[in-house]
Every structure is written in structure tokens, then in C-alpha cells.
Amino acid sequence: MDIKHLHTFLTAAKTLNFTQTAELLDYAQSSITAQIKSLEGELGVPLFERLGKRIYLTDAGKQLKQYAKKMIDLDETMREALSNQDESNVTLTIGAQESQCTYRLPKILQLYKNRHPKVKIVFKPVHTIEVAKDLLQSGNLDLAFITDTHKETTMLCKKELIEEDLVFVVAPTHHLTQIKTLTIKNVAQETILLTEEGCSYRNQFEYQCQLEGFYPEQMIEFSSIEAIKQCVIAGVGMTLLPKMAVKKELENGLLIELENTITMEPVFTELAWHKDKYIFSYLEDFIQLACEQYKLFNGNYGVK
């Protein structure tokens, strides 16, 4: 039912004069007549009757008058609520790897919550672009921080944030610190601690192992980067992690970075959303904040 027709009906019900109604609404009289006839056709009952030179509301017209007022009031309330974007009812669902959540997003969240204190934020684990694509397409994510190699995905809008610096690290007492340059063959002879299957940089490392024909015989898988770091510090083995995750430990001498000749495809962190996603102002603010902060994380890699 057209709200515009209900407005016309209520004006006509008040004036009981189609000519006057047309003047008040700045319509042609024929348009007023057409709108009333459209309503009558939709409802299947006459709303006005003409007695002599005057028109009167029928019983059905009197009933519609009550409902029409409620419908117009509800329509106005709805439009006001949507235009004001009441953020107390907004939930922003974001996908990200543990490393992004732990080492980079806290600052972004602090700034964002200062601007949008009522927005509820939910984080979900996302390891690869394939997982992100499925969650974004199904509407289970609004945005996703994707750490992966460059992959064309036509259904996603993406902003490149930073190229990740991946490093092999060991405890200072580990014998590999005596090796000048680490190779895949060296790694294959060691215990290596890795993140879960599907992690982009683990995928790149395993792919390189397959290419060179060497694969670690001793591998321990963890779901927590912090657990990996503590085990490596304790001398359990070596690991491959983004440098951001071990920056403090490297500075404090708890871990040592190993120079290496291992070639892997570059891994980037990008911010992505579905190309058909409507970008509300609170969503646009988060995207802008993320871009600004990631640019500060590494001045060598600007936002594209």
C-alpha cells in the first residue's frame, strides 16, 4: 500500500473536498481521484460517497482513517530511526586472525569505541581469503582482515594495508643461531612449531618445503601464537611467525631471528568487504581508522 496514497486519503478525509485536497497537496484533481480509486481498488470497498454536491466518508473510509494515521506514524518513526542510525542496536562483526587481533587491532578498537561507544563489536577467526569470502558472502561478517597472498576475488572490495614480514625465530640457546643462513634442509632436521592448518604463512612454508623436497619430520601444531612463542623461548624448537608477533621478544633478546634463503610468496594483510555491502557511516569510520592506523604500523606500505 502506497504511503503517499494514504496521505492523500487522510487529507481528503479531513477536507471532504477533492478540489481543496488537490490545492493543499499541489496535485491535479485528476491525480487525487486516481489515488483514491487506487486505494478503493486495492481494498475492494468504496471510501467516499457523493451525496449531491458533497462527499462523505463511508464506514470503510472511517475505519481506514484510523489505520492510516497509525501506518503513517509508524512510517515516520521508522524513517527517523533509520536516518538517525541508532547505534545502540548496531553489531559490527569482523573477521581477523589471532595475530591481528592481538598486536594491531587494540589501538584501532580504542579509537573506534571513542567515536562509536554504543556499537557492539564481535570478532570471528578468519585464517584465509576462502574462509573470509564464504563468511562475507553469507552475511556472517561485515568486514574481514585477511592475511594471505594476493588473490583476485571479484565479489570483494579490498584495501591493501601492509605486507607482512615473516621471520624464523629460535631461543638464544638454540644451535641454529650458529648457522649463518637457514635453509629448508636445515628446518627439515628440526622441530618446528606452526599455527593451525589453513594459516596463510604456514601454507606458504609447506608449499616451499614440497618444492624443495624437504619436509620437517618433527612438527607441533598450535592454535595459539602465544603458546608457540613460550615453547620456542623454552627451547622446544623453532617457528615461523609475522614479525609483529615477536617484536618485543626480539627486542628483549628472548628470541633470535634467523637469516634465511627460504623464498616464499609475499603475504599481505588486506581489509575486505562484500562488493554489494551497504557502507553505513559507522562502517565507513572503521574502514578509515583501520587504513590510517595500518599506515602508521609500517610507513613503507601505504594503503592502496
Side-chain angles (χ1 to χ4, degrees):
M1 188 172 291
D2 195 324
I3 291 293
K4 181 179 70 174
H5 291 178
L6 291 179
H7 275 287
T8 298
F9 166 76
L10 285 178
T11 304
K14 182 179 180 180
T15 63
L16 294 177
N17 186 305
F18 284 2
T19 301
Q20 189 177 348
T21 298
E23 291 174 355
L24 289 172
L25 299 180
D26 197 23
Y27 288 142
Q29 185 171 334
S30 58
S31 177
I32 300 298
T33 302
Q35 290 183 45
I36 298 300
K37 285 188 176 298
S38 176
L39 272 177
E40 291 177 331
E42 187 174 351
L43 296 171
V45 291
L47 301 173
F48 294 93
E49 60 179 351
R50 184 179 293 276
L51 299 176
K53 294 182 179 181
R54 300 186 63 184
I55 60 171
Y56 299 88
L57 281 171
T58 63
D59 289 340
K62 293 175 183 177
Q63 284 185 297
L64 178 61
K65 184 178 179 181
Q66 298 175 17
Y67 289 116
K69 288 180 179 177
K70 294 178 182 178
M71 292 172 71
I72 289 173
D73 287 344
L74 182 60
D75 178 71
E76 290 175 352
T77 301
M78 175 193 70
R79 292 176 187 278
E80 183 179 355
L82 292 177
S83 64
N84 289 339
Q85 293 184 5
D86 183 4
E87 294 185 351
S88 62
N89 297 318
V90 170
T91 299
L92 184 57
T93 307
I94 303 169
Q97 285 185 316
E98 178 199 357
S99 56
Q100 303 298 326
C101 289
T102 304
Y103 305 107
R104 290 196 178 128
L105 296 188
K107 179 62 175 178
I108 296 171
L109 290 180
Q110 179 191 27
L111 293 170
Y112 185 75
K113 291 300 289 182
N114 287 339
R115 295 187 189 181
H116 303 272
K118 294 183 179 180
V119 174
K120 179 182 178 183
I121 299 177
V122 176
F123 278 96
K124 292 186 178 181
V126 170
H127 297 300
T128 65
I129 195 168
E130 286 76 17
V131 175
K133 181 174 68 174
D134 291 341
L135 292 174
L136 289 168
Q137 187 171 19
S138 64
N140 290 313
L141 288 180
D142 296 304
L143 296 169
F145 289 88
I146 300 170
T147 302
D148 208 338
T149 55
H150 272 315
K151 295 177 181 177
E152 290 300 321
T153 311
T154 55
M155 61 164 284
L156 297 182
C157 291
K158 295 189 292 182
K159 282 189 176 291
E160 182 183 306
L161 299 175
I162 197 169
E163 182 178 351
E164 299 295 349
D165 187 5
L166 303 177
V167 293
F168 290 92
V169 296
V170 293
T173 55
H174 198 285
H175 72 92
L176 283 180
T177 58
Q178 305 304 313
I179 295 178
K180 185 175 182 180
T181 307
L182 186 72
T183 66
I184 287 288
K185 186 176 181 180
N186 298 138
V187 177
Q189 298 168 352
E190 304 296 329
T191 298
I192 185 164
L193 288 62
L194 293 174
T195 47
E196 295 175 292
E197 287 187 1
C199 174
S200 56
Y201 43 89
R202 172 177 170 173
N203 288 346
Q204 288 303 304
F205 170 68
E206 292 181 323
Y207 178 69
Q208 195 62 32
C209 288
Q210 292 172 0
L211 285 181
E212 297 191 26
F214 297 102
Y215 199 81
E217 295 181 4
Q218 299 294 323
M219 186 179 75
I220 305 176
E221 181 179 303
F222 289 82
S223 60
S224 165
I225 288 177
E226 286 301 313
I228 290 176
K229 289 197 298 183
Q230 292 305 314
C231 287
V232 173
I233 290 170
V236 175
M238 62 181 300
T239 189
L240 170 67
L241 289 172
K243 196 165 188 174
M244 64 170 171
V246 293
K247 185 174 182 290
K248 288 185 178 179
E249 288 78 8
L250 290 173
E251 291 173 350
N252 296 335
L254 295 174
L255 292 173
I256 301 296
E257 179 182 349
L258 300 175
E259 297 295 327
N260 69 87
T261 59
I262 300 170
T263 303
M264 292 185 288
E265 190 175 347
V267 171
F268 298 85
T269 293
E270 299 174 310
L271 185 57
W273 58 94
H274 196 286
K275 65 180 180 64
D276 297 327
K277 180 76 175 176
Y278 185 83
I279 306 299
F280 288 99
S281 59
Y282 61 84
L283 196 57
E284 185 176 11
D285 262 9
F286 188 93
I287 293 170
Q288 185 62 37
L289 268 176
C291 291
E292 291 171 357
Q293 289 302 305
Y294 269 81
K295 194 170 183 179
L296 296 176
F297 292 145
N298 192 335
N300 295 322
Y301 298 97
V303 176
K304 295 183 179 179

